[in-house]
Amino acid sequence: MPDVGMHEQSVVESARSLFYERALVQFEGAWVGAIAAIPLPTGNLQASIPPTDLNYGEIFIRDNVPVMAYLLTQEKYSAVRHFLETCLRLQSDQPQTRGIFPTSFVEVDGRLVADYGQRAIGRVASVDATLWWAILAHAYVQKSDDRAFACQPDVQAGIQRFLDLVLHPSFRAAPTLHVPDGAFMIDRPLDVWGAPLEIQVLLYGSLLSAAGLMKMAIDASNSQYLIDRLQQTLDHAKRLHAYLLQHYWVTDRTVQRMRRYPTEQYGEAIENEHNIQPEAIPDWVQNWLGDRSGYLIGNVRTGRPDFRFFTLGNSLGAIFDVLDCDQQRDLFRLIVHNQKDLVAQMPLRICHPPLEGKEWQFQSGYDRKNWPGCYHNGGHWPCLTWFLAAAVLRQPDRSVETANFLESSYQMLLSQLPEQNWAEYFDGSTARWVGQQARLYQTWTIVGFLLMHHLLKVNPADAGILNVPRLQDFC
Ligand code: GLC
């Protein structure tokens, strides 16, 4: 019988060497981040895909979130700082996009070339990268204790340019950030325009991270400008928090109330602010919610709420404490209750349920990559598992069911990923099939596994790696 511990150790070793030796790249003589997927030698399974495969040879900010989190747990602080500073150099200074960070960048002949959406497939906008930068910068300072970095004038100026994108007058009074379709990990049309959950929780995390970083500079300089800006940022975060709980958080009880909402209401103090018709609440929600559970719905728009469950948005809602401890427990209960849909044979499904039929045709524009049950449209992405593990493990206690859920998810990754060549995603309701257009040796699959191993088997205390300051910390 093979020794289980030895198998685990050899998988971890091979993941580590793929990551350090093949995925991480250098710029100006030091590690600057990791490419999205490791190119395969010709003659391998995916030989039809050349080494310069679309943009998978670029350094994506979102794909580098787990990379930076992992490097922080390994105390490789200078690499993380180099990544953050390089991204900062690439923050846009163009009049129309001033303050945004690129989705990805790559070195060409000693020069950095960045993609702000002007090269992306479908020209989608890069929004999540901008929100992630502040969160990663805060995570770096928190773990390394390099407060001098936070106080650097260029870092503070970068934060202000980012805040300018959010704290300005607009046509809407709602505190949510309005974005076009495909502005985050789901970077193709999938009816995720408007106020998608992932963007809103990232906005919340980034405002609090920016506030934390400004506070450090205020402690060092006492600048009145920063004091006012901090207040403005916290006011916005507070409004956003209340809005998310009021409009996105659903439980059996809140849905029952919604079903009885009066419609066509006008005026300020009304119940049904978004004029939601009871028929807009899909049937599957009842079984999905079960008993004593809750989750943040995918999107809130006038008359068209999106009840789909998005795994990353919900995990981040827990990690950034948009949800309180009881709500987080309700969320984890919901995930365990729905593990047949969310895990099946590979954790974790990116969203549920998939868009099908006419809805898929119309909303995705017949996007074959996003066929029902595939890729972003209900595909299973192993890279998401560690976010949920971090959310669960940062809480002081957890139910036996939740702990078992994490352990069995880890065992699935351990037993299948090396054999499936660290594929990017898996298709179908059972997730048995490697994604039809999946890259192999995808970096965030490899690092996501390493983080799962680290959090479950080495140091669960690192589950707080993406913690952001809490609103109460500023009182
Ligand atoms: C795909 C994914 C996107 C990811 C990129 C690089 O475009 O949709 O989320 O960042 O690949 O891995």
Side-chain angles (χ1 to χ4, degrees):
M1 222 174 105
D3 183 322
V4 180
M6 264 175 66
H7 171 67
E8 180 178 40
Q9 211 36 51
S10 86
V11 174
V12 172
E13 283 311 317
S14 83
R16 281 172 63 88
S17 72
L18 281 168
F19 172 57
Y20 283 113
E21 288 156 33
R22 307 278 305 281
L24 278 176
V25 291
Q26 299 213 345
F27 176 63
E28 294 176 342
W31 281 335
V32 70
I35 52 178
I38 300 172
L40 296 164
T42 37
N44 203 313
L45 262 174
Q46 256 189 350
S48 56
I49 297 170
T52 48
D53 177 19
L54 288 176
N55 50 358
Y56 282 80
E58 301 199 5
I59 298 169
F60 282 71
I61 292 187
R62 83 167 68 86
D63 294 49
N64 273 272
V65 171
V67 170
M68 296 305 141
Y70 184 66
L71 289 173
L72 288 178
T73 66
Q74 305 303 300
E75 299 182 4
K76 306 254 187 270
Y77 299 135
S78 62
V80 179
R81 183 175 170 140
H82 189 37
F83 168 79
L84 291 168
E85 286 176 339
T86 307
C87 295
L88 193 55
R89 272 163 62 176
L90 295 171
Q91 192 180 23
S92 168
D93 59 1
Q94 294 302 302
Q96 228 185 316
T97 52
R98 188 171 182 273
I100 70 164
F101 285 82
T103 297
S104 64
F105 60 90
V106 63
E107 183 190 337
V108 180
D109 302 328
R111 247 175 15 91
L112 291 174
V113 179
D115 181 12
Y116 303 89
Q118 86 287 5
R119 286 159 57 226
I121 296 175
R123 300 290 182 265
V124 282
S126 162
V127 183
D128 62 337
T130 304
L131 305 172
W132 270 119
W133 185 84
I135 296 166
L136 289 175
H138 177 267
Y140 162 73
V141 173
Q142 181 180 249
K143 185 82 166 75
S144 68
D145 212 21
D146 182 1
R147 292 169 74 92
F149 172 81
C151 299
Q152 269 175 214
D154 60 336
V155 169
Q156 287 294 326
I159 293 169
Q160 294 310 317
R161 278 192 297 269
F162 151 61
L163 289 174
D164 286 343
L165 289 163
V166 183
L167 307 177
H168 61 79
S170 87
F171 282 98
R172 302 163 63 248
T176 42
L177 188 60
H178 212 259
V179 296
D181 223 345
F184 53 103
M185 178 182 176
I186 296 181
D187 56 359
R188 299 167 80 97
L190 204 67
D191 195 25
V192 287
W193 57 270
L197 175 66
E198 188 173 320
I199 291 292
Q200 312 317 318
V201 291
L202 280 173
L203 175 63
Y204 184 70
S206 63
L207 288 173
L208 289 175
S209 299
L213 295 167
M214 280 193 282
K215 180 81 174 47
M216 289 175 208
I218 291 169
D219 291 344
S221 74
N222 215 17
S223 138
Q224 188 55 46
Y225 174 77
L226 280 185
I227 293 172
D228 294 345
R229 224 22 194 182
L230 175 63
Q231 199 47 51
Q232 224 187 334
T233 306
L234 292 174
D235 288 345
H236 197 102
K238 211 162 160 183
R239 285 202 303 127
L240 180 59
H241 185 242
Y243 191 94
L244 290 173
L245 290 186
Q246 186 184 348
H247 296 290
Y248 287 71
W249 176 249
V250 294
T251 63
D252 196 43
R253 204 167 39 83
T254 64
V255 173
Q256 293 204 45
R257 206 169 54 230
M258 254 176 162
R259 292 177 72 242
R260 291 161 177 271
Y261 271 172
T263 54
E264 310 304 325
Q265 292 184 294
Y266 174 80
E268 278 170 30
I270 56 170
E271 235 182 326
N272 191 356
E273 285 183 31
H274 295 102
N275 200 29
I276 296 166
Q277 310 290 331
E279 292 79 0
I281 304 168
D283 290 343
W284 60 265
V285 170
Q286 187 175 60
N287 187 29
W288 182 260
L289 270 174
D291 191 21
R292 292 188 305 135
S293 297
Y295 73 101
L296 294 159
I297 63 171
N299 209 330
V300 169
R301 299 172 294 210
T302 305
R304 299 201 30 209
D306 180 353
F307 279 87
R308 276 176 295 172
F309 176 87
F310 288 83
T311 299
L312 185 52
N314 272 283
S315 301
L316 293 176
I319 289 176
F320 301 151
D321 288 329
V322 171
L323 304 175
D324 67 23
C325 288
D326 289 342
Q327 290 166 327
Q328 293 188 29
R329 255 195 300 276
D330 292 351
L331 170 66
F332 303 147
R333 196 177 295 120
L334 173 116
I335 291 172
V336 173
H337 170 66
N338 292 298
Q339 57 185 306
K340 201 171 132 281
D341 292 323
L342 283 178
V343 177
Q345 296 184 31
M346 178 60 77
L348 272 170
R349 187 168 236 193
I350 189 169
C351 66
H352 178 86
L355 297 181
E356 307 208 15
K358 287 253 173 293
E359 220 186 351
W360 164 75
Q361 290 177 357
F362 178 70
Q363 301 291 3
S364 78
Y366 294 80
D367 185 351
R368 274 179 290 152
K369 199 167 176 181
N370 271 335
W371 185 257
C374 300
Y375 197 49
H376 302 141
N377 190 13
H380 292 234
W381 293 67
C383 64
L384 295 175
T385 319
W386 83 272
F387 285 103
L388 178 62
V392 169
L393 295 172
R394 60 191 281 289
Q395 289 301 343
D397 44 45
R398 62 207 65 95
S399 69
V400 177
E401 291 79 23
T402 310
N404 290 345
F405 174 93
L406 284 189
E407 180 61 28
S408 75
S409 297
Y410 171 71
Q411 292 301 333
M412 284 183 205
L413 301 178
L414 178 65
S415 65
Q416 295 182 63
L417 288 181
E419 219 164 286
Q420 306 285 17
N421 300 307
W422 308 94
E424 182 186 13
Y425 67 97
F426 293 76
D427 283 342
S429 53
T430 70
R432 252 184 73 75
W433 298 332
V434 171
Q436 200 243 341
Q437 296 192 36
R439 271 33 193 198
L440 302 182
Y441 298 96
Q442 182 81 15
T443 301
W444 61 8
T445 303
I446 298 169
V447 184
F449 166 77
L450 286 172
L451 276 162
M452 277 296 275
H453 173 258
H454 182 80
L455 296 180
L456 265 64
K457 308 291 166 186
V458 183
N459 188 7
D462 275 339
I465 200 81
L466 292 182
N467 280 1
V468 298
R470 291 169 315 158
L471 269 174
Q472 310 85 283
D473 297 343
F474 297 94
C475 295

